[in-house]
Amino acid sequence: MLTQKTVADFLHVRQNTYSQYETGQRQIPIDNLIALADFYKVSVDYLLGLTDEESRYPRPQS
């Protein structure tokens, strides 16, 4: 089961900090937002509620 602590550990933040991200008490830093999109394999727009489309844009190839 996925817990807040698991995701917080992935982001290298405390569990209560991650909880504050979820409840809107604290704004999530952009780098953590990108990391969450990668973690869940969804777009940042999806996480922000700007779209119902979970698919991510293709990354530029380097």
Side-chain angles (χ1 to χ4, degrees):
M1 180 166 100
L2 189 61
T3 64
Q4 283 185 341
K5 175 134 178 50
T6 302
V7 180
D9 288 346
F10 173 78
L11 295 175
H12 306 288
V13 298
R14 296 184 325 206
Q15 180 272 326
N16 70 322
T17 300
Y18 181 70
S19 175
Q20 291 172 339
Y21 295 159
E22 284 190 349
T23 61
Q25 294 174 316
R26 177 181 281 203
Q27 287 192 345
I28 185 167
I30 297 293
D31 57 332
N32 284 354
L33 184 61
I34 293 167
L36 278 178
D38 287 341
F39 181 81
Y40 288 113
K41 300 193 183 340
V42 297
S43 70
V44 171
D45 286 348
Y46 180 78
L47 290 178
L48 294 173
L50 298 174
T51 183
D52 292 333
E53 180 61 49
E54 294 180 25
S55 300
R56 299 187 288 180
Y57 297 106
R59 287 195 173 214
Q61 304 225 342
S62 39

